[in-house]
Amino acid sequence: MASIEFRGVVKVYDKKNLVIDDLNLLIEDGSFTVLVGPSGCGKTTALRIIAGLEEVTKGSVLIGDEDVTKKEPGDRDVAMVFQNYAIYPHMTVKENIEFGLVNAKVPKAEREVVVAAVLKQVGLERHVDEKPSKLSGGQRQRVALARAISKKPRVFLMDEPLSNLDAKLRNQMRRELVELHNKLKTTFVFVTHDQIEAMTMGDCIVIMCDGRIRQKGAPQRVYNDPDNVFVARFIGDPGMNVYPMEGGGFFGFRPRKVGFAGSGDNGAGVDASGDDGPADNASGDDAVSWPGRVAAKEILGSEVLYCVKTKLGDVMLKTSSAGRGMDDLATVSVPRKNLVFFDQNEDRVRDENEIRRLAGGRLGA
Amino acid sequence: MRFFRSHAALLFLLPALAGILIFIIYPIAYSFHISFFDWDMISGKKTFVGFGRYEHLLGDPKFIQVIVNTVVYMFSMVAVTVALALFLAAWLNKSSLVHNLAQTAIFTPHIVSTISVVLLWMWVMNPDIGLLNYVMEKMGVDRLLALFGIKKMMWLESRTTALFSFIVIGVWKTLGYNTLVLLAGMQSIPGQIYEGAALDKASSLRKFYKITVPLLSPSLFFLLIVNVTSSFQTFESVNVISKGGPLNSTNMMVHWIYQTGFEFYRISDSSVGSVLLLLIIGLATYSNFRLLSNKVHYQ
């Protein structure tokens, strides 16, 4: 077990492509940290730098209290699960796991014990002597996982390990990984572009964009209290509705925090008060509303996601009532207390007076 | 109409089957046939002798030497070209100006016609005006050889070195192709497997033997079969350089078959040679498959 620390890490590819720009990050010992961001944001590079598969251009990397910047990948005491598993296709499941142990000169008797234990842990006991080509995608993933566990590393690195699995299996593996983390209590660093994976698995989320960290924090905190427009839009499914304001800066609200106003519809008689969301009673003086027309409707099961075209732009609205149909006229309404404000630089405005001033003004010219 | 429907496949295959039948199956069968006769090409008299010509030839030390030459040549060619190509490919498996130039240089002999290659090497190996002896003299190697009582390397003109010289030429000609095949095989091994191995603490040597070689096994096996077959069939270089000499030391099966049949008009003996060569190549290929195919890893 160990913490990981980036100190002023810069990574430049081919002398011109800046991938990571002055990264300073402390990944705490025993945490399940998720690096998340759109493709090309530098999250995988950051992970590969921890593994030692990528050299830093500037700065240093520490695992525990030890500077590993110049160490070989094999000497860092880390294990990694790759996106396409990277298990050895010509070796059996057992040989795959044993390979690293043999290289580390673990005696045969001990190897047998470790292999049996990790195979049991991932539920592959019956496939010991099979070649990977005989296994399903999920089973291969487990081989990769077993190989990582067998090394008892200080740090587990995972590079989008679930992206090649189908949706059902992905959900299951997500839970299993969380359980595994609870059992091993080792530091996990998990890279993904999928914010749902990040939200559901991590106890700490690091949101990256263009080689820089945009926000770091617990999932709930990052969701409720985004530091900037990028994080607000990236986290959440769908992300926050964010619109520019007249005098510069931006304001936004979550799709779950906006509702249909009781009037202005096409007479279908369905009232926003029928909604049970936080946007209930979203009318009156303390709310702002915009008339619009329903442009898209997605039924998600327990909830319905609407896209309403207003003069603000497209407003995403999540509610539990499915009363509106396509092309219905509808007015969306948000309580002023649900609004979030950002300044010209897209950074969050947290000053109380400033918020009061902005919230009282005309919104969405 | 019904006949056409059920036998349409046969009809479409007919042109190809006819070609195989006329140009491959029939000649093989006819060679077997001739090999059991004593056929005098001048009088045209054909007498059945059973295995008579086989017994005669297999008792002839000159013919045995041709078989031995062929087998020695084949083994040396395969061992040297495949092993050397493996190491060259491992070295060339990077992209830089030097590597690309080296790759081109190594591959070039493959696209040059065998006759040109042979003529070039006949000059290089010429004892008096050849490049090889000149370079050796400049480097002082000839003085080293003098210690062993060797005055001058005769290369293709000495019974002791001629076959060796043939092997050198053959290796030079084949190496590029083998290297290219292995290089292509290496480039299809996903890089992440090596990264996984790096995290598994594998040394470069272990990565080479435990990952590169096994994952290359389909290419290696392919080269083995192709090189065994083509080495057995060496003809041009023997015909152009030495006609089998000096003293039969470089005569090989295909050339011997040609010489015996079309220069000495002993068509029966020539057919016996063909049949034996067919059996030898068949045996070699069969044993390759039997011994190695379970060690070959296909993705």
Side-chain angles (χ1 to χ4, degrees):
Chain A
M1 282 200 267
S3 60
I4 301 161
E5 195 179 347
F6 287 87
R7 282 191 189 158
V9 169
V10 176
K11 175 70 189 177
V12 181
Y13 278 120
D14 302 331
K15 294 186 177 153
K16 52 183 190 288
N17 297 333
L18 181 69
V19 188
I20 289 182
D21 185 9
D22 192 27
L23 181 69
N24 289 289
L25 171 66
L26 177 69
I27 294 171
E28 286 181 30
D29 184 10
S31 69
F32 195 132
T33 298
V34 181
L35 305 181
V36 65
S39 55
C41 72
K43 57 192 189 297
T44 297
T45 306
L47 191 80
R48 291 168 59 83
I49 285 172
I50 303 175
L53 297 172
E54 215 74 72
E55 276 177 35
V56 299
T57 310
K58 231 166 81 185
S60 54
V61 182
L62 282 78
I63 298 179
D65 295 325
E66 183 192 1
D67 189 334
V68 295
T69 317
K70 295 269 175 262
K71 276 200 158 184
E72 288 295 314
D75 299 330
R76 295 191 177 199
D77 201 7
V78 300
M80 183 156 166
V81 178
F82 292 85
Q83 181 172 5
N84 53 10
Y85 324 135
I87 50 181
Y88 312 117
H90 56 295
M91 297 186 195
T92 63
V93 169
K94 186 184 175 191
E95 287 166 341
N96 257 288
I97 298 167
E98 258 192 337
F99 188 67
L101 301 175
V102 173
N103 292 340
K105 303 199 167 56
V106 176
K108 188 165 168 44
E110 197 182 325
R111 284 204 310 260
E112 298 286 332
V113 175
V114 172
V115 171
V118 293
L119 283 178
K120 186 155 181 272
Q121 195 160 4
V122 298
L124 283 178
E125 305 102 308
R126 290 191 295 117
H127 304 278
V128 191
D129 293 317
E130 268 168 45
K131 291 266 176 74
S133 54
K134 290 255 163 60
L135 304 176
S136 68
Q139 287 170 328
R140 287 180 210 188
Q141 181 62 271
R142 281 162 208 271
V143 175
L145 207 56
R147 180 172 70 175
I149 299 169
S150 72
K151 285 190 262 188
K152 299 193 181 74
R154 288 189 292 177
V155 173
F156 268 91
L157 306 174
M158 299 185 195
D159 184 13
E160 308 206 18
L162 308 182
S163 54
N164 287 350
L165 303 177
D166 64 62
K168 273 238 155 59
L169 197 55
R170 189 157 32 193
N171 284 345
Q172 187 191 336
M173 284 304 284
R174 231 150 61 186
R175 279 194 304 278
E176 284 183 26
L177 285 177
V178 172
E179 273 171 36
L180 184 70
H181 175 249
N182 285 338
K183 206 181 314 173
L184 298 174
K185 307 252 183 271
T186 314
T187 314
F188 275 45
V189 185
F190 188 102
V191 161
T192 180
H193 60 265
D194 180 354
Q195 62 90 24
I196 296 182
E197 268 175 30
M199 293 290 284
T200 50
M201 297 173 75
D203 51 33
C204 175
I205 300 186
V206 178
I207 298 140
M208 294 180 70
C209 182
D210 297 333
R212 281 180 301 134
I213 295 175
R214 308 312 294 259
Q215 190 170 359
K216 178 192 172 197
Q220 206 56 53
R221 157 110 214 272
V222 172
Y223 178 83
N224 288 335
D225 199 9
D227 274 351
N228 47 56
V229 172
F230 177 80
V231 173
R233 280 188 175 145
F234 190 79
I235 297 295
D237 181 28
M240 189 182 274
N241 296 299
V242 179
Y243 308 97
M245 281 191 298
E246 223 172 305
F250 301 83
F251 75 98
F253 46 86
R254 288 272 171 212
R256 204 75 182 82
K257 304 266 186 185
V258 53
F260 289 116
S263 57
D265 62 12
N266 62 359
V270 179
D271 197 342
S273 58
D275 289 352
D276 62 359
D280 281 2
N281 311 316
S283 56
D285 285 347
D286 61 340
V288 266
S289 41
W290 298 272
R293 185 187 287 274
V294 175
K297 177 180 179 183
E298 284 177 36
I299 313 241
L300 305 173
S302 62
E303 286 176 317
V304 184
L305 179 67
Y306 290 97
C307 175
V308 183
K309 282 212 184 301
T310 69
K311 66 173 181 165
L312 276 180
D314 289 352
V315 174
M316 302 305 287
L317 186 154
K318 223 178 200 181
T319 164
S320 51
S321 97
R324 313 276 157 156
M326 284 288 283
D327 280 331
D328 285 356
L329 291 172
T331 297
V332 296
S333 174
V334 202
R336 284 184 193 269
K337 65 175 164 54
N338 287 351
L339 296 174
V340 180
F341 296 92
F342 304 93
D343 65 15
Q344 284 114 314
N345 304 323
E346 306 199 350
D347 284 328
R348 182 77 179 277
V349 174
R350 296 189 193 274
D351 182 68
E352 295 276 344
N353 295 325
E354 186 67 7
I355 291 172
R356 215 166 298 138
R357 192 183 67 77
L358 288 168
R362 273 187 63 213
L363 296 166
Chain B
M1 204 54 207
R2 258 180 99 179
F3 173 84
F4 181 78
R5 257 185 221 144
S6 56
H7 294 80
L10 216 66
L11 204 67
F12 287 122
L13 283 172
L14 206 62
L17 282 177
I20 291 173
L21 211 66
I22 295 168
F23 295 110
I24 297 178
I25 308 290
Y26 174 70
I28 289 177
Y30 198 57
S31 285
F32 269 95
H33 173 79
I34 300 173
S35 71
F36 295 120
F37 287 85
D38 197 347
W39 191 0
D40 186 346
M41 295 299 278
I42 295 164
S43 66
K45 217 173 74 188
K46 227 166 116 184
T47 36
F48 182 78
V49 292
F51 283 101
R53 294 317 296 170
Y54 286 86
E55 276 168 39
H56 170 77
L57 276 174
L58 290 171
D60 178 359
K62 272 187 88 176
F63 181 69
I64 298 295
Q65 195 192 352
V66 171
I67 295 184
V68 171
N69 286 345
T70 313
V71 171
V72 167
Y73 180 79
M74 182 277 289
F75 268 112
S76 322
M77 276 291 287
V78 171
V80 175
T81 45
V82 174
L84 215 55
L86 185 58
F87 289 105
L88 270 174
W91 174 61
L92 288 172
N93 193 11
K94 300 171 196 94
S95 192
S96 80
L97 189 65
V98 177
H99 290 102
N100 292 345
L101 283 176
Q103 206 173 317
T104 313
I106 291 167
F107 187 64
T108 307
H110 178 70
I111 54 170
V112 179
S113 78
T114 309
I115 304 298
S116 315
V117 169
V118 162
L119 290 174
L120 176 76
W121 277 93
M122 279 173 78
W123 167 70
V124 169
M125 287 181 165
N126 184 298
D128 300 314
I129 57 160
L131 181 71
L132 209 53
N133 276 1
Y134 175 77
V135 170
M136 280 168 69
E137 196 184 305
K138 287 287 163 204
M139 285 169 63
V141 182
D142 58 331
R143 261 170 288 155
L144 196 75
L145 290 172
L147 294 177
F148 296 97
I150 300 164
K151 260 224 214 91
K152 188 191 261 177
M153 286 298 284
M154 298 305 285
W155 302 115
L156 293 160
E157 277 138 59
S158 148
R159 201 158 62 114
T160 44
T161 53
L163 192 61
F164 169 76
S165 305
F166 268 78
I167 293 166
V168 170
I169 298 171
V171 167
W172 190 76
K173 173 94 172 92
T174 322
L175 193 59
Y177 176 75
N178 286 8
T179 308
L180 203 75
V181 168
L182 293 180
L183 199 57
M186 279 181 191
Q187 278 164 0
S188 71
I189 301 176
Q192 285 210 325
I193 290 187
Y194 290 104
E195 292 182 349
L199 283 159
D200 266 348
K201 234 179 150 144
S203 62
S204 320
L205 206 63
R206 238 176 108 71
K207 275 188 223 165
F208 184 71
Y209 284 111
K210 290 285 176 181
I211 292 166
T212 308
V213 173
L215 290 181
L216 268 185
S217 53
S219 310
L220 286 168
F221 191 60
F222 165 76
L223 285 182
L224 194 66
I225 302 290
V226 169
N227 286 338
V228 166
T229 314
S230 70
S231 306
F232 270 135
Q233 293 174 348
T234 309
F235 173 76
E236 294 108 312
S237 50
V238 182
N239 194 40
V240 174
I241 299 175
S242 66
K243 307 269 183 216
L247 293 170
N248 209 32
S249 63
T250 59
N251 211 355
M252 286 184 247
M253 285 298 276
V254 176
H255 182 258
W256 181 91
I257 292 165
Y258 165 78
Q259 219 175 19
T260 310
F262 301 105
E263 282 178 8
F264 307 150
Y265 299 108
R266 280 159 42 211
I267 211 77
S268 301
D269 289 359
S270 177
S271 295
V272 171
S274 303
V275 168
L276 288 174
L277 181 63
L278 181 76
L279 293 179
I280 293 172
I281 294 182
L283 186 75
T285 309
Y286 175 75
S287 38
N288 270 335
F289 270 97
R290 267 312 279 274
L291 295 172
L292 294 172
S293 59
N294 63 336
K295 292 192 173 59
V296 175
H297 169 80
Y298 293 101
Q299 295 271 11

